[in-house]
Amino acid sequence: MTLEAEMPEPENHDDGHDHRDDHGRSRGDDHGRDGSGGRTRGRRRRSPWVTVPVGVVLGLLLIAVLTPLTVGARVWYQARQDERPRSDAIIVLGAAQYNGQPSPTLRWRLQHALDLYRAGVAPAIVTVGGKAPGDNYTEAGSGRTWLVEKGGVPAGRVVAVPLGRDTLGSMRAVGAEFDRRGWSSAVIVSDPWHGLRSKKMAADHGIEAAASPTRSGPSVQTRETQFDYIVRETGAYLSYVLLGKSVRVPDETIRRINIDPSRAPSPPVTDPPPSR
């Protein structure tokens, strides 16, 4: 026996067939491999003419949802703050008056302003608000009379600005009065949910404003009422910031006095001019 016959032949798993196609490529190459060794599959890329508009629409929808939620959260947060920095004056935003007598809402605001004045927050109080058609008195004049006669505040310490049927109109007038007197800072007294919007309007008219809200009145009675006011103030704030318009919330649209349309209105009574 020869040496060659004793040595085993190496195993060969080739079945004798050449696995190549007519172009000389191995059939195993038909599937291809990527750089990582994994097999690649054919994927169809989406056209940018589809993905870009979809992304823009989704982004706009996200902004449309998040913006009101963010503003609503700011309204809610501001409503819970009671800011009392030393200021030039306390501004009492107007509410309904009935033939010269402050409504409960206005009285609550006036009382809160009186408490701040007595606490030394500011040396002066500014009452704000005009009158509706047919009214004999302005909100500002009614508030000033109450503070002087009922609250005992010296007449020279209460300034009436009898202009404005809404917050924006009143803040324009107050800003001009502050400029004339050389004042720059104020604490605004209003309902809790009104704080964010009133501070923004005051700042836009040159007043460095804080907010010290009342805790009485219909706007804080129930959770449902509070939610309703937050929604309204969110819309009002966005309307002002985006469009420059003031939207009246319920406390700004209360009927001042009941007028019988069959009777001619009484001659208007003029409020005393603001003290100088």
Side-chain angles (χ1 to χ4, degrees):
M1 175 179 292
T2 63
L3 181 61
E4 290 80 6
E6 294 177 356
M7 296 189 62
E9 295 183 1
E11 293 182 4
N12 188 356
H13 297 286
D14 190 358
D15 57 4
H17 297 284
D18 187 2
H19 299 281
R20 295 180 180 273
D21 57 16
D22 295 339
H23 298 284
R25 294 176 301 183
S26 173
R27 293 181 182 177
D29 293 337
D30 287 346
H31 298 289
R33 295 179 181 271
D34 56 17
S36 61
R39 294 183 178 181
T40 59
R41 298 178 180 272
R43 295 181 179 177
R44 182 180 300 175
R45 290 186 176 182
R46 293 182 178 178
S47 170
W49 296 105
V50 175
T51 57
V52 172
V54 170
V56 171
V57 171
L58 291 177
L60 292 176
L61 288 175
L62 188 63
I63 292 173
V65 172
L66 291 181
T67 299
L69 291 177
T70 302
V71 173
R74 292 181 62 194
V75 170
W76 176 86
Y77 178 79
Q78 180 64 58
R80 280 155 176 74
Q81 308 308 305
D82 188 359
E83 303 162 343
R84 303 185 177 197
R86 178 71 179 177
S87 304
D88 293 322
I90 300 163
I91 300 174
V92 183
L93 293 183
Q97 59 80 30
Y98 303 106
N99 206 25
Q101 297 299 316
S103 65
T105 297
L106 183 53
R107 282 202 308 271
W108 287 318
R109 296 181 185 182
L110 293 169
Q111 182 62 56
H112 188 64
L114 181 60
D115 294 340
L116 294 176
Y117 172 80
R118 290 172 175 171
V121 172
I125 303 176
V126 178
T127 56
V128 188
K131 59 182 179 180
D135 281 2
N136 295 331
Y137 299 88
T138 64
E139 296 169 352
S142 300
R144 182 179 186 276
T145 300
W146 189 94
L147 287 168
V148 173
E149 296 182 356
K150 304 293 185 181
V153 182
R157 296 291 186 177
V158 185
V159 179
V161 181
L163 299 173
R165 292 287 307 283
D166 55 25
T167 306
L168 181 57
S170 294
M171 282 302 179
R172 289 195 187 105
V174 172
E177 184 68 21
F178 267 53
D179 287 342
R180 190 180 70 80
R181 293 175 176 270
W183 294 345
S184 60
S185 60
V187 174
I188 299 173
V189 175
S190 185
D191 293 337
W193 320 110
H194 200 191
L196 182 67
R197 182 163 59 106
S198 60
K199 284 178 61 176
K200 172 62 175 174
M201 291 180 176
D204 290 345
H205 291 88
I207 302 173
E208 182 182 350
S212 181
T214 61
R215 301 298 178 185
S216 302
S219 64
V220 294
Q221 287 181 348
T222 65
R223 291 187 180 276
E224 290 77 15
T225 302
Q226 294 176 26
F227 178 77
D228 182 61
Y229 270 79
I230 290 174
V231 171
R232 290 173 181 270
E233 274 296 333
T234 298
Y237 183 87
L238 289 173
S239 176
Y240 172 69
V241 171
L242 300 177
L243 305 176
K245 296 181 179 180
S246 181
V247 176
R248 296 182 182 179
V249 291
D251 64 284
E252 295 179 282
T253 57
I254 298 174
R255 195 81 176 100
R256 272 66 172 180
I257 56 175
N258 295 322
I259 301 175
D260 184 355
S262 64
R263 298 174 57 187
S266 304
V269 178
T270 304
D271 290 316
S275 60
R276 299 181 181 276

